[in-house]
Amino acid sequence: MTALLESSVGPAAPAGPTPGTAAGRQGRGWTVFLLLLPAALLVVAMFSYPLLVAAWRSLAYPELGTQNYAWFFDGATNIGVLLRTVWIAFLTTVICLAFAYPYAYLMAISGRRLKTLLLVLVMVPFWTSLMIRTFAWIILLQDNGLVNEGLGLFGIGPLPLMRNTTGVLIGMVQVLLPFMVLPLYNAMAGVDMRLMQAATSLGARPSTAFLKVFVPLAMPGVLSGSLLVFIQALGFYITPALLGSPTEMLVSQYIYAQVNGQLQWGRGSVLGVVLLVTVLVLLAAAAALGRAGRRRQGAAAKREAA
């Protein structure tokens, strides 16, 4: 009789909350929270704590107050260093995009062997120390270096390729170029090339199909690569210090000069805080422009459909 009742009623419900119920969702939420807690604590310890210390020192050294912020905003030199840093980062991003876009496109349309070779060439710089690469550029770009000797064969030069913005841009572009190529290739590899063939079969020119079909679909790679390069370029120190000029220093060099040279911990902290705020403002502006562009594309698509 017991077996007959169990077969008619079905198996007993499992103990504990059902996954679809509110109790089940709450239990799942606690599980996710506990799994993420170690990573969250690591982020707080490794990133948030130094930022909080820098913010505190900007207000507390050498005495409690806002004198460090007044020093920064009252000095034309300080504003000039910040603007120069943003400008150099912007130029580095644009140059990296100009070189990386065709390279990533070639990777996306190539066969397996050529694609592997191109990918290896992109990864090679990661196998060499940044310091070694920078000293190599010093040997190449100095007044009697290999580059000027090669230009001299054509009656050009010697050109000032070091101790100026040119040398800084060359070194930073070479270091940051892989960080633009890889996101671009990742986005381009996900684009269905048959869409361009369909556009050309419907009467569009190859250039028009590329600009109207491929470029918008690969735009996420452009945005992610540009953000990666721009943010890293803002904090570069070794390359500008070795290839640049002390009269054209960037924020990272200025922080080093204030903290290590003059022991002005408060002023160095203010420079770091202002640079962080500048990055956040620029990221917010980029996000707003991206949302506006997506809204315009959506509105244009609706108009074409209508």
Side-chain angles (χ1 to χ4, degrees), residues 166-181:
T166 302
V168 173
L169 287 175
I170 292 174
M172 292 178 65
V173 166
Q174 190 270 332
V175 173
L176 295 174
L177 191 59
F179 294 97
M180 183 69 78
V181 172

Side-chain angles (χ1 to χ4, degrees), residues 255-277:
I255 293 175
Y256 179 83
Q258 292 294 327
V259 173
N260 199 56
Q262 303 181 20
L263 299 180
Q264 294 285 352
W265 288 89
R267 294 181 178 180
S269 299
V270 163
L271 292 170
V273 171
V274 170
L275 183 61
L276 175 62
V277 173

Side-chain angles (χ1 to χ4, degrees), residues 101 191 209-220 297:
Y101 203 97
V191 177
F210 180 80
L211 294 175
K212 296 293 185 179
V213 177
F214 186 85
V215 171
L217 293 176
M219 190 56 65
Q297 290 179 357

Side-chain angles (χ1 to χ4, degrees), residues 36-65:
L36 293 177
L37 183 60
L41 293 177
L42 180 63
V43 170
V44 171
M46 300 299 295
F47 294 98
S48 300
Y49 177 73
L51 293 177
L52 293 175
V53 170
W56 168 250
R57 285 180 174 176
S58 68
L59 294 170
Y61 284 81
E63 59 184 12
L64 191 62

